[in-house]
Amino acid sequence: MKRLNSFLHFGYFTDYESPKYKLDYSGIDKSQYDNFSTDEILEIVWKSLVSSFEKYIDTDKPVVVPLSGGMDSRFILGMLLNYYNPKDIFTYTVGTKGTLDFDLARKVANLVGTNHREINLPDYNYTLSEFKEISKRTSHQCVLFFSHPISIIDSYPSNSQIWTGFMGDNLFGSSFEKYPSKDISSAIQRWIKIDKRNIIDTSAVSLADPNFDLSRLIDMPFVHSNKISFDEQLNLYYRQVNHVSPH
């Protein structure tokens, strides 16, 4: 019952532990940048980003970018253009024609000149077997009915590097709380309210059992530190590792 309500409310299992991502807050020290200028901080960020790209990029392999109108995918595409010819970059967009993300992705792809494809979801028919395969490939950490069709992913060469972005909102500060929670209990209640993924569109009715105490799902080693808030820890430990990060 706990795992079912976890998936129905958050879109993932809160007791899932990814072997790929281990969180270590010991190196966090925001105060070290207090006396830095904006230009100096941007230079540090830029060098870190370039270093991370060059660590994983392999120009001998085909490259695929799931492209949306969002900051993460556009930034990744922009970085890859430093290493690839645009026509050698495969991009694809999944969504609904006429929406901002879908149309903006097409404009970006056309402007840059990538090898672009689109899937208009109202015209696409998912099958139960495909949903099962998607769930299997993502360690069963997927939001209900919100996954890219396998057909488009499997159509690219098997040795392709697929570049997808996550944590952009965290790295650039948009997910930070203006007034952080003062204690763990308050942070948990705020998190339960914020990180609701599976809801019925207009009524905002949660699919989870309304009588189930969702706070029972939160069980993590909080760190008491002025370097990272309880809200940030919940975001990183649950949403980023269990839902957003690639599996």
Side-chain angles (χ1 to χ4, degrees), residues 76-87 89 112 114:
I76 286 175
L77 177 58
M79 290 294 292
L80 291 174
L81 289 171
N82 292 309
Y83 305 93
Y84 290 87
N85 187 303
K87 63 182 178 59
I89 299 177
V112 172
T114 62

Side-chain angles (χ1 to χ4, degrees), residues 197-212:
R197 300 297 159 196
N198 290 321
I199 59 175
I200 300 173
D201 291 340
T202 55
S203 60
V205 176
S206 175
L207 297 180
D209 183 350
N211 297 315
F212 182 81

Side-chain angles (χ1 to χ4, degrees), residues 138-205:
T138 59
S139 302
H140 313 295
Q141 300 293 304
C142 57
V143 176
L144 292 173
F145 316 118
F146 191 68
S147 300
H148 290 188
I150 292 176
S151 59
I152 192 170
I153 298 174
D154 288 350
S155 68
Y156 295 112
S158 59
N159 66 332
S160 297
Q161 282 194 328
I162 300 179
W163 285 76
T164 180
F166 72 104
M167 289 188 69
D169 52 344
N170 298 278
L171 296 175
F172 289 92
S174 62
S175 67
F176 295 164
E177 297 293 343
K178 184 176 182 180
Y179 301 104
S181 300
K182 295 182 179 180
D183 54 68
I184 294 175
S185 178
S186 299
I188 290 175
Q189 292 307 314
R190 172 185 272 176
W191 182 245
I192 290 172
K193 182 178 180 180
I194 291 175
D195 202 37
K196 182 187 293 186
R197 300 297 159 196
N198 290 321
I199 59 175
I200 300 173
D201 291 340
T202 55
S203 60
V205 176

Side-chain angles (χ1 to χ4, degrees), residues 11-240:
Y12 53 79
F13 298 120
T14 54
D15 62 357
Y16 171 78
E17 292 186 7
S18 171
K20 299 179 182 178
Y21 304 99
K22 299 298 181 182
L23 300 178
D24 180 6
Y25 307 127
S26 61
I28 295 177
D29 183 9
K30 299 176 184 178
S31 62
Q32 65 179 303
Y33 302 110
D34 287 348
N35 297 320
F36 281 62
S37 68
T38 300
D39 288 341
E40 288 173 327
I41 293 176
L42 289 175
E43 180 66 19
I44 293 172
V45 172
W46 176 250
K47 288 182 178 179
S48 297
L49 288 170
V50 170
S51 175
S52 65
F53 265 80
E54 293 183 344
K55 179 180 179 181
Y56 296 105
I57 201 164
D58 185 347
T59 53
D60 292 328
K61 295 182 178 180
V63 63
V64 180
V65 181
L67 186 62
S68 72
M71 176 179 63
D72 290 348
S73 65
R74 283 184 289 143
F75 175 78
I76 286 175
L77 177 58
M79 290 294 292
L80 291 174
L81 289 171
N82 292 309
Y83 305 93
Y84 290 87
N85 187 303
K87 63 182 178 59
D88 294 327
I89 299 177
F90 296 101
T91 57
Y92 72 86
T93 297
V94 176
T96 304
K97 289 182 178 179
T99 60
L100 177 62
D101 271 6
F102 196 92
D103 292 347
L104 182 56
R106 180 193 300 125
K107 290 181 179 179
V108 170
N110 290 340
L111 178 65
V112 172
T114 62
N115 190 335
H116 190 62
R117 295 173 61 189
E118 297 177 341
I119 287 187
N120 184 37
L121 287 179
D123 298 331
Y124 186 85
N125 293 317
Y126 281 100
T127 63
L128 180 58
S129 60
E130 184 172 17
F131 275 130
K132 289 181 177 179
E133 180 61 21
I134 291 170
S135 180
K136 178 182 178 181
R137 293 189 188 188
T138 59
S139 302
H140 313 295
Q141 300 293 304
C142 57
V143 176
L144 292 173
F145 316 118
F146 191 68
S147 300
H148 290 188
I150 292 176
S151 59
I152 192 170
I153 298 174
D154 288 350
S155 68
Y156 295 112
S158 59
N159 66 332
S160 297
Q161 282 194 328
I162 300 179
W163 285 76
T164 180
F166 72 104
M167 289 188 69
D169 52 344
N170 298 278
L171 296 175
F172 289 92
S174 62
S175 67
F176 295 164
E177 297 293 343
K178 184 176 182 180
Y179 301 104
S181 300
K182 295 182 179 180
D183 54 68
I184 294 175
S185 178
S186 299
I188 290 175
Q189 292 307 314
R190 172 185 272 176
W191 182 245
I192 290 172
K193 182 178 180 180
I194 291 175
D195 202 37
K196 182 187 293 186
R197 300 297 159 196
N198 290 321
I199 59 175
I200 300 173
D201 291 340
T202 55
S203 60
V205 176
S206 175
L207 297 180
D209 183 350
N211 297 315
F212 182 81
D213 181 8
L214 293 169
S215 65
R216 292 171 52 195
L217 301 172
I218 308 301
D219 182 19
M220 59 167 284
F222 283 99
V223 174
H224 293 263
S225 171
N226 59 1
K227 298 179 180 179
I228 182 169
S229 70
F230 298 129
D231 305 292
E232 292 171 320
Q233 292 178 56
L234 281 164
N235 188 334
L236 294 171
Y237 192 89
Y238 287 117
R239 175 162 163 69
Q240 300 304 324

